[in-house]
Amino acid sequence: MSISTDDAAKVAGLARLNPAPEKITQFADQFNDILDYMQKLNELDTSGIEPLYTPVTHETVFRDDEVLKEYSREELLGNAPETDGNYFIVPRIVG
Amino acid sequence: MSESYLPTMTEIRGRLAAGEVRVEQVVRSCLDRMDAFEPSVRAFITRTDEQALSQAREMDRSGPTPETLTTKPLWGVPLTLKDVLTTRGLRTTCASRMLADFTPCFDAEAVSRLRNAGAVILGKVNMDEFAMGSSTENSAFQTTANPWKLDAVPGGSSGGSAAAVAARMGFAALGTDTGGSIRQPAAFCGIVGLKPSYGRVSRYGLVAYASSLDQIGPMTLTVEDAALLLRIIAGHDPKDSTCADQPVPDYPALLAQRSDLSGLRIGMPQEFWSKEGLDLDVAERCAQSMAVAEKLGATCVPISLPHTPYAVAAYYIVASAEASSNLARFDGVRYGYRDKEAANLIEMYRNSRSKGFGEEVQRRIMLGTYVLSSGYYDAYYKKAAQVRRLIQQDFHQAFKQCDVICGPVTPTTAFGMGEKTADPLQMYLTDIFTISLNLAGLPGLSLPVGLGERSGLPVGLQILGPAFREDLLLQVGHVLEHHLPRLPLPTGIAQ
């Protein structure tokens, strides 16, 4: 399986990234190397093997769902690139 | 320069609690070493000299009490934190331009526990951006030098933590390990590093890279120090549902229960010890430490972890997939870098992320997006998760024949700066011995076992164990450590 520059550009879009065109070409080449290496996994027959998505074996510990006010609005907005003091501001979405 | 304090963390906390030294003296001795070595080592992203000194003076005013060691087991002890752990009011960058100005309003749980134990934070230390890398060369801000050889890497991703501890800039550090990021830099810098079992330490406030693999752990000068630090940071936290509700043993006290290794069966996986894959320096020192273990009563058993050759491929699929999902939160809206020029929302997202993230981070996000995308999910992500199960089963099988598993941490000693940066796959392959442990969720201790005869650089041995048996790893490491030569001060900064 080979990844073209177009494929890499499409993935960049899905990932909400915008690398420079020469970077996209470079990424496509590197992905081909990396994914070639990953083909190694196909040497193994994994039919019927239950996938392992997390090593957690314990049961989830429940707690009461209590409302806490731990942080002020000011603190939570403090790192935002743009606010009006009450809300996060983003570029206009609807005309 | 004021008097230089070079004891271990356990020793200095005893002297502090007994009132033999003042906190300010100890903090100043660390700051002096930072002033002396930082120009060449560059471990710190953010130093907090003033806060540390003012905290120290305040502590000295009230002084230690007879209960200090029990109630504040790290009273006055200066430590450093990997810059991936959130610190209230203190910039937390993850070594990324994306978070260059990010100041969290909360402490990571592990950090709160250190503060409650009386520790003094000296600053935030360098790493590969978002913990993605094996050399700390992926930091957006600076490269960190290995204190043993200044043109060699300290390892990664917790390279700043390892270099700071090796250079005695702070008595210990916290690191994080997703695929070897505590153990490998510990090995390269000649210190002790412990990757706890998945779920042993709360990940609350650890900026997530790959959530099913990440763990926070101690990086220290001795095994005893690692035991003490783990005792403090381990244990259930309601803020992290993956953190296990299991009692925390008194790790330091348990060390005294084993004086030799009699009756211990050590598994030696053939996949880790094959001569072709190992540098002579590493092979010799690790084999020598096994001979010491046998003299101390251990029996070495040949074992096999047959799926080891597949671990790197499975790991980079799983880790990249989780990273692509975790790092979606950096959207230029609530925190982090925003491209102000963008005309619309999508362009703002795309430009902010591509300008804020470095190359390796973008590579892994894209790789992860690809392996999770429609049509490829089963072929890559599900397949990797199935292989992950096989890797875990390898360990379960192995622990029927042995109590712990030993092997080299890395195939080589610390490599040169720039040596592996051109080819990401070659860099990934340096993690070959560390990665399977994270996939299986098990604990591992990296122990310095001497200097390579040719390179003069530290070599690390890994001791791996069943889940939640950190007590056993620490005991074995503690016994071995006392029968191996103690490393001198790092040669790169020796004066």
Side-chain angles (χ1 to χ4, degrees):
Chain A
M1 196 177 333
S2 161
I3 299 204
S4 66
T5 306
D6 283 352
D7 295 334
K10 185 176 167 224
V11 172
L14 289 172
R16 295 284 186 259
L17 292 169
N18 193 18
E22 66 275 12
K23 279 287 159 206
I24 298 213
T25 313
Q26 186 197 327
F27 281 151
D29 288 347
Q30 290 170 337
F31 290 156
N32 281 316
D33 283 352
I34 295 168
L35 292 168
D36 266 354
Y37 177 76
M38 286 168 177
Q39 293 304 323
K40 206 176 163 61
L41 297 185
N42 292 328
E43 293 167 12
L44 296 172
D45 178 8
T46 52
S47 48
I49 305 281
E50 182 67 19
L52 177 65
Y53 294 116
T54 169
V56 167
T57 51
H58 62 261
E59 299 206 349
T60 302
V61 180
F62 288 97
R63 59 173 164 76
D64 291 334
D65 188 15
E66 289 170 44
V67 178
L68 296 174
K69 191 173 178 188
E70 293 172 286
Y71 307 104
S72 67
R73 179 180 291 259
E74 203 179 13
E75 281 176 305
L76 295 174
L77 288 171
N79 281 294
E82 196 179 347
T83 77
D84 66 357
N86 287 307
Y87 297 100
F88 298 111
I89 302 296
V90 296
R92 179 177 294 277
I93 298 170
V94 281
Chain B
M1 215 189 228
S2 55
E3 190 190 342
S4 202
Y5 293 103
L6 299 173
T8 68
M9 183 175 77
T10 304
E11 289 161 357
I12 199 71
R13 74 158 189 148
R15 297 179 64 184
L16 281 159
E20 291 168 22
V21 282
R22 292 167 66 82
V23 182
E24 187 177 351
Q25 286 175 290
V26 175
V27 168
R28 277 198 190 280
S29 102
C30 289
L31 297 180
D32 285 346
R33 294 182 66 81
M34 286 154 68
D35 290 341
F37 303 135
E38 266 298 274
S40 47
V41 176
R42 301 176 302 277
F44 284 77
I45 292 178
T46 307
R47 286 176 60 161
T48 51
D49 296 26
E50 285 315 309
Q51 294 97 309
L53 281 170
S54 95
Q55 185 188 344
R57 283 189 286 261
E58 199 175 307
M59 293 175 92
D60 283 331
R61 270 196 291 277
S62 50
T65 66
E67 292 79 45
T68 292
L69 267 190
T70 337
T71 56
K72 299 270 176 197
L74 295 178
W75 190 82
V77 176
L79 303 177
T80 61
L81 303 171
K82 186 177 182 179
D83 208 16
V84 73
L85 300 168
T86 60
T87 40
R88 185 181 179 106
L90 173 59
R91 189 168 79 121
T92 300
T93 68
C94 296
S96 180
R97 269 189 302 279
M98 181 59 88
L99 292 177
D101 301 312
F102 176 65
T103 303
C105 57
F106 66 105
D107 273 330
E109 178 63 18
V111 173
S112 310
R113 291 186 188 194
L114 293 185
R115 289 197 204 275
N116 291 338
V120 178
I121 308 301
L122 291 174
K124 305 293 290 287
V125 285
N126 201 21
M127 53 186 280
D128 287 295
E129 184 177 2
F130 287 102
M132 297 181 193
S134 313
S135 67
T136 310
E137 290 167 295
N138 290 335
S139 167
F141 304 121
Q142 70 218 34
T143 53
T144 294
N146 189 316
W148 290 88
K149 186 168 182 270
L150 296 175
D151 58 358
V153 302
S157 66
S158 310
S161 304
V165 174
R168 272 65 164 181
M169 302 187 289
F171 288 84
L174 289 187
T176 65
D177 191 316
T178 305
S181 286
I182 285 176
R183 289 161 287 151
Q184 184 252 28
F188 279 7
C189 292
I191 65 163
V192 174
L194 175 63
K195 182 252 170 220
S197 312
Y198 188 79
R200 181 71 289 185
V201 178
S202 168
R203 292 181 297 109
Y204 179 76
L206 158 58
V207 180
Y209 155 26
S211 309
S212 80
L213 304 161
D214 298 338
Q215 267 293 293
I216 301 170
M219 302 179 74
T220 58
L221 289 172
T222 64
V223 174
E224 189 181 27
D225 288 356
L228 177 62
L229 213 46
L230 182 65
R231 162 110 168 122
I232 291 164
I233 61 172
H236 181 61
D237 171 19
K239 297 186 293 302
D240 173 8
S241 67
T242 64
C243 185
D245 191 9
Q246 285 212 28
V248 179
D250 188 348
Y251 298 114
L254 288 172
L255 294 181
Q257 290 187 358
R258 192 185 277 273
S259 55
D260 61 18
L261 301 180
S262 52
L264 186 81
R265 294 167 306 163
I266 299 180
M268 292 176 62
Q270 61 186 55
E271 294 79 7
F272 286 28
W273 289 91
S274 86
K275 289 272 181 288
E276 314 84 77
L278 289 183
D279 252 21
L280 264 178
D281 271 358
V282 173
E284 281 173 5
R285 286 291 163 267
C286 287
Q288 207 171 42
S289 63
M290 289 296 92
V292 170
E294 283 186 312
K295 262 196 206 135
L296 291 162
T299 314
C300 292
V301 196
I303 59 159
S304 176
L305 298 169
H307 295 95
T308 301
Y310 304 96
V312 171
Y315 171 85
Y316 277 94
I317 291 171
V318 169
S320 300
E322 294 187 21
S324 76
S325 170
N326 273 324
L327 273 65
R329 75 192 59 187
F330 298 101
D331 56 4
V333 174
R334 291 153 300 157
Y335 37 69
Y337 177 81
R338 174 186 288 194
D339 176 46
K340 307 264 192 219
E341 311 300 316
N344 59 56
L345 190 66
I346 300 291
E347 199 179 299
M348 189 280 281
Y349 290 151
R350 294 187 64 174
N351 292 352
S352 300
R353 288 163 61 79
S354 268
K355 289 181 185 175
F357 291 139
E359 192 172 311
E360 181 61 26
V361 174
Q362 295 191 57
R363 186 158 37 238
R364 292 198 199 183
I365 290 174
M366 285 175 63
L367 193 60
T369 304
Y370 180 78
V371 300
L372 290 175
S373 63
S374 164
Y376 299 104
Y377 180 93
D378 281 357
Y380 290 106
Y381 184 63
K382 187 178 171 201
K383 181 83 183 181
Q386 288 174 312
V387 174
R388 184 176 184 181
R389 171 83 59 193
L390 296 174
I391 288 167
Q392 190 187 48
Q393 285 171 354
D394 282 357
F395 280 104
H396 290 167
Q397 286 302 322
F399 286 125
K400 289 178 184 163
Q401 302 162 59
C402 59
D403 306 302
V404 297
I405 293 173
C406 284
V409 181
T410 51
T412 66
T413 53
F415 48 85
M417 282 185 189
E419 213 174 279
K420 295 182 196 282
T421 41
D423 185 346
L425 187 56
Q426 284 313 309
M427 188 71 93
Y428 298 170
L429 289 170
T430 63
D431 302 336
I432 187 133
F433 299 142
T434 49
I435 260 172
S436 33
L437 196 75
N438 300 73
L439 290 167
L442 304 177
L445 180 78
S446 172
L447 182 74
V449 290
L451 301 176
E453 205 169 298
R454 293 151 201 84
S455 62
L457 293 172
V459 173
L461 177 84
Q462 293 192 89
I463 310 170
L464 316 178
F468 295 93
R469 289 308 311 275
E470 287 83 357
D471 58 329
L472 178 60
L473 305 186
L474 289 161
Q475 283 180 337
V476 173
H478 187 62
V479 171
L480 270 178
E481 179 183 53
H482 280 88
H483 291 87
L484 290 165
R486 194 166 171 181
L487 297 190
L489 285 171
T491 42
I493 56 164
Q495 291 181 335

